[in-house]
Amino acid sequence: MEERMMHQVDETVARYGSTDEALVEILRDLSQQAGYLDRPTLAAVAKKLAVPESRVFSVASFYSMISVEPLGKHVIRMCQDAPCHVAGGRKIWETLEQALGIQFGQTTSDGQWTLMPTSCIGLCAVGPVMMIDDEVFGNLTPEKVNEILARYREQDGGAA
Amino acid sequence: MVYRAHILISGDAACIAKGARDVEAALWEAVQELNLKDEVQILEVSSLGHSDQGPEIVIYPDGTDYVNLTPEDAKFIIEEHLLKGRPVERLTYREPPSLPLPPPSEKEVRVVLENVGKIDPENIEDYIAMDGYMALGKVLGEMTPEEVIEELKISGLRGRGGAGFPTWLKWTLARNAPGDMKYVICNGDEGDPGAFMNRSVLEGDPHSVIEGMAIAAYAIGASQGYFYVRAEYPIAIQTLRAAIKQARDYGLLGEHIFGADFSFDLEVRMGAGAFVCGEETALMQSIEGARGMPRTRPPYPATAGLWGNPTNINNVETYANVPKIIHKGGSWFASMGTDKSKGTKTFAIAGKVERTGLIEVPLGMTIREIVYDVGGGVLGGKKFKAVQTGGPMGGCIPEQYLDLPVDYEHLKEVGSMMGSGGFVVMDEDTCMVDIARFFMEFTQDESCGKCVPCRVGTRRMLEILNRICAGEGRPGDIETLEELAVYIRDGSLCGLGQGAPNPVLSTLQYFRDEYEAHIYDKTCPAKVCKGLIEYKINPEACIGCTRCARNCPVNAIEGKPKQTHVIDADICIRCGVCKQVCPVDAVYVE
């Protein structure tokens, strides 16, 4: 496990170069590969770049696309911007919270879902919009949201 | 090779989200199968204009526009349209029937968006065929850096990222700043809600931005440039990387471009999800690999920017204008627009209008023309209430200013701003207090935390707004909001903090009565805020179909079949489902 992590860190650092300035990109890439960055990973990056761990943590915790906490199997990012809001975003927001039983920023206790807001993803013509992992869903209604969630649950074998 | 027909398929992110990749694969397959590959060319372009109805293709020479396609449709179209020569009527795009208006193109003037959707962004030759890189050739062959800056001065081009600083002046400052190493940066961290013009340009015409940056580099004496693009735009980043590689292969980036004594290269840097990184000093921090937090200015980036070196930073749209200005002349550009705001501007119309999407119009067009002539009017014929411009730091402009010309000065005068071109239309069903609360949620969340007035102040304002919307507003709340707004504006370093109170201030200025109704009368005039509304059933209209009771998620509705139903306000969570399902519109909001 640890070896695999070290290998990932080595490879990613090699790709972006072991300089200070590559820190944001290295962390974002690692976070996307592993789901989130745990303390040993952050420490390994710090060591590789020869910068203090505190600096690595401060950068990692600043950006919303880098996570320092475990995320659910699926990450839902719901657009929190005005065009989606005017198009009925708040209802979608509430539907998601109700359906998953968590609030934005939280992960379900079974580790299946993380609910996060995101800033505009530039698809305002089809708002309200949300992303589940890498897939984008537009023109959302509460019914559609429930359908989509059901589809994911089915794919996951009805476990969640 | 000469093709008999060209199929353009929209590779716009909205279309891809709806399955454009599968449609494209089906097109290829069908063309192969029917042996048409020597006669028909398939090109992936950016948005074709109806991304809300994607996947979309347009077939030339006749220009037939097909929308809402599935892979099966794609195959069928190849067979019918290209093999048998019969356009497939049922899949073609139709103007919405409720629009007896002139097509938007009559009022639009496309400069920045001219090539978007017309050329293949992945093929540099398409761009060169549209006079691409001619401006760079002209600059390197015939013009001194001073002449380039002079041309921009004549054009009157101002920063398209929001603040509207004259571009020629920015370049002059960077040119005159002492230093051997200078940089140019393109700000592609477009985060304003609803503003996706930069994404469209980067996805649809990346070379125009690259060319603009190269010209800027020549003018200020830089040899290295950076693109900073937000990670939320993966397709734009991919297109851009491919475009840079092609430009290098063609000798348009690298050493001794066009044989001149000028070398320039570009690197793409990706953000990692932080709205504040659109602020120029925060953006440079992020490129350097740190937390993207703004710093005090001065010194401005022009004298001490990236790694402390003189840096010119403009946004995507600003750079995209530059080759056109050099090519057609500064006075051509200055012939469009108003006295102080020259040229055209892209806007992303969103919200409650008939036609949402990206437009480009000469500056100075009135709000009325944009909403009604270009946008097709308010959705469903409802009453216009306000338009929000300038993103989360902008303001709401009410109906009385419908005839206001849209330019940098006028928007500022009425308490809003240009921003990057967001244009969100609101109708009578929009609660302005709720909108102000919504924007405060956004800035509160995106505040980087460096300045206390912004970090704590936005939180305090949000708490008050939350209370007002929940029906727990108190006398004095409005005054406290106004007081906090001044502290936050005056005590914050960057545009985010300084502008954060704007949505509240502008709604207070124009819609104070709505705030008062929430606080004193405990009513929400637009019937939006849940703490202040009640769903009721009109006993005279109710037919006792039981549909509302069956759909209510909390069983708050009682009633036997064929008898009048009643909603228990104590149990009701005001989700509105009963109103949606009622077949006779008996449910109303009070």
Side-chain angles (χ1 to χ4, degrees), chain B residues 310-590:
Chain B
T311 303
N312 180 68
I313 173 163
N314 287 123
N315 101 325
V316 172
E317 191 178 341
T318 314
Y319 282 125
N321 271 305
V322 171
K324 303 270 162 72
I325 290 171
I326 298 294
H327 187 56
K328 297 187 181 173
S331 41
W332 159 77
F333 192 80
S335 70
M336 298 177 286
T338 61
D339 201 19
K340 286 183 180 159
S341 303
K342 304 291 189 196
T344 59
K345 174 81 191 83
T346 56
F347 290 97
I349 315 188
K352 305 281 183 72
V353 283
E354 290 284 353
R355 277 192 288 251
T356 55
L358 216 49
I359 61 157
E360 183 171 353
V361 295
L363 282 164
M365 183 174 275
T366 65
I367 295 175
R368 189 188 299 278
E369 283 174 288
I370 295 179
V371 173
Y372 288 93
D373 298 347
V374 185
V378 179
L379 194 65
K382 295 231 175 184
K383 196 167 170 308
F384 174 90
K385 185 167 193 176
V387 58
Q388 207 277 347
T389 71
M393 276 90 241
C396 294
I397 304 168
E399 194 193 357
Q400 72 210 69
Y401 293 116
L402 261 179
D403 290 310
L404 188 85
V406 176
D407 62 19
Y408 293 99
E409 281 71 31
H410 283 98
L411 290 181
K412 215 166 173 175
E413 258 170 45
V414 297
S416 187
M417 61 183 222
M418 181 73 84
S420 54
F423 199 90
V424 186
V425 177
M426 296 160 189
D427 67 5
E428 54 194 323
D429 294 336
T430 315
C431 168
M432 300 316 279
V433 185
D434 178 63
I435 286 292
R437 171 172 77 124
F438 168 76
F439 280 111
M440 203 43 81
E441 261 173 12
F442 180 88
T443 41
Q444 192 268 132
D445 194 45
E446 295 291 350
S447 170
C448 79
K450 185 170 180 169
C451 307
V452 179
C454 172
R455 183 182 70 229
V456 183
T458 52
R459 166 63 67 114
R460 288 288 99 86
M461 285 181 84
L462 176 62
E463 284 166 0
I464 295 174
L465 291 167
N466 276 337
R467 257 200 301 106
I468 295 176
C469 289
E472 293 155 16
R474 295 194 286 256
D477 275 349
I478 294 180
E479 290 70 21
T480 314
L481 283 176
E482 283 172 331
E483 213 176 310
L484 280 168
V486 175
Y487 296 147
I488 297 170
R489 189 191 65 205
D490 294 350
S492 303
L493 270 181
C494 81
L496 192 150
Q498 289 161 7
N502 267 352
V504 176
L505 287 177
S506 72
T507 46
L508 266 175
Q509 184 180 351
Y510 301 119
F511 302 97
R512 203 183 182 92
D513 53 329
E514 286 195 31
Y515 281 83
E516 287 167 350
H518 280 73
I519 296 172
Y520 300 107
D521 310 336
K522 306 287 177 211
T523 57
C524 174
K527 305 196 195 317
V528 171
C529 296
K530 290 199 170 160
L532 298 168
I533 55 169
E534 215 171 286
Y535 281 88
K536 288 194 173 158
I537 294 173
N538 177 1
E540 266 155 45
C542 178
I543 53 169
C545 71
T546 74
R547 202 171 293 182
C548 55
R550 279 183 283 128
N551 281 288
C552 177
V554 291
N555 294 326
I557 304 177
E558 289 223 21
K560 295 203 173 74
K562 306 226 153 87
Q563 284 175 14
T564 304
H565 284 51
V566 182
I567 302 175
D568 185 337
D570 292 333
I571 305 175
C572 173
I573 55 167
R574 289 146 181 100
C575 67
V577 166
C578 48
K579 191 164 189 287
Q580 287 164 20
V581 299
C582 179
V584 291
D585 285 333
V587 182
Y588 64 98
V589 185
E590 205 175 71

Side-chain angles (χ1 to χ4, degrees), chain A residues 21 23 25 28 55 58-59 62-65 80-83 85-86 90-91 94 119-120 122-124 126 136, chain B residues 14 193-194 199 230 269-273 286-292 307 352 434 437-439 442 530 575:
Chain A
E21 53 179 287
L23 185 56
E25 298 200 86
R28 193 204 54 246
R55 188 166 118 73
S58 87
V59 169
F62 182 78
Y63 293 96
S64 68
M65 292 179 98
Q80 59 170 352
D81 280 333
H85 179 76
V86 174
R90 203 179 282 282
K91 273 220 167 100
E94 288 162 359
S119 55
C120 184
L123 302 176
C124 318
V126 292
V136 188
Chain B
R199 174 176 70 79
R230 61 202 297 251
R269 286 293 165 88
M270 250 164 109
S286 186
I287 292 184
E288 293 176 21
R291 284 167 78 96
W307 292 293
K352 305 281 183 72
D434 178 63
R437 171 172 77 124
F438 168 76
F439 280 111
F442 180 88
K530 290 199 170 160
C575 67

Side-chain angles (χ1 to χ4, degrees), chain B residues 39-119:
Chain B
E39 298 173 40
V40 177
Q41 189 187 25
I42 302 173
L43 282 172
E44 187 180 312
V45 298
S46 186
S47 173
L48 287 164
H50 310 111
S51 303
D52 54 329
Q53 295 184 47
E56 180 181 17
I57 66 171
V58 174
I59 299 182
Y60 286 103
D62 44 315
T64 312
D65 190 347
Y66 292 111
V67 289
N68 291 320
L69 299 180
T70 63
E72 293 74 46
D73 292 338
K75 191 160 177 257
F76 189 67
I77 289 172
I78 299 279
E79 281 171 12
E80 286 293 308
H81 189 132
L82 292 172
L83 202 63
K84 300 179 188 160
R86 296 190 294 228
V88 186
E89 200 63 34
R90 73 177 163 93
L91 295 168
T92 52
Y93 172 77
R94 286 188 193 90
E95 279 284 319
S98 60
L99 295 174
L101 293 157
S105 54
E106 281 183 22
K107 290 240 170 181
E108 277 198 69
V109 179
R110 296 204 160 200
V111 176
V112 171
L113 298 177
E114 189 185 358
N115 294 336
V116 175
K118 280 197 205 151
I119 63 171

Side-chain angles (χ1 to χ4, degrees), chain B residues 150-220:
Chain B
E150 185 56 30
E151 201 63 45
L152 277 183
K153 189 175 176 181
I154 296 169
S155 78
L157 175 66
R158 296 167 63 176
R160 295 297 193 241
F165 194 78
T167 306
W168 72 271
L169 190 54
K170 216 176 201 179
W171 289 18
T172 307
L173 294 173
R175 172 164 183 78
N176 293 340
D180 299 333
M181 194 64 208
K182 294 183 183 179
Y183 297 102
V184 290
I185 298 178
C186 176
N187 184 346
D189 194 52
E190 171 179 67
D192 272 9
F196 53 94
M197 50 280 296
N198 292 351
R199 174 176 70 79
S200 275
V201 174
L202 291 175
E203 287 178 5
D205 192 15
H207 287 287
S208 67
V209 190
I210 295 173
E211 189 179 5
M213 286 180 80
I215 294 170
Y218 175 74
I220 71 159

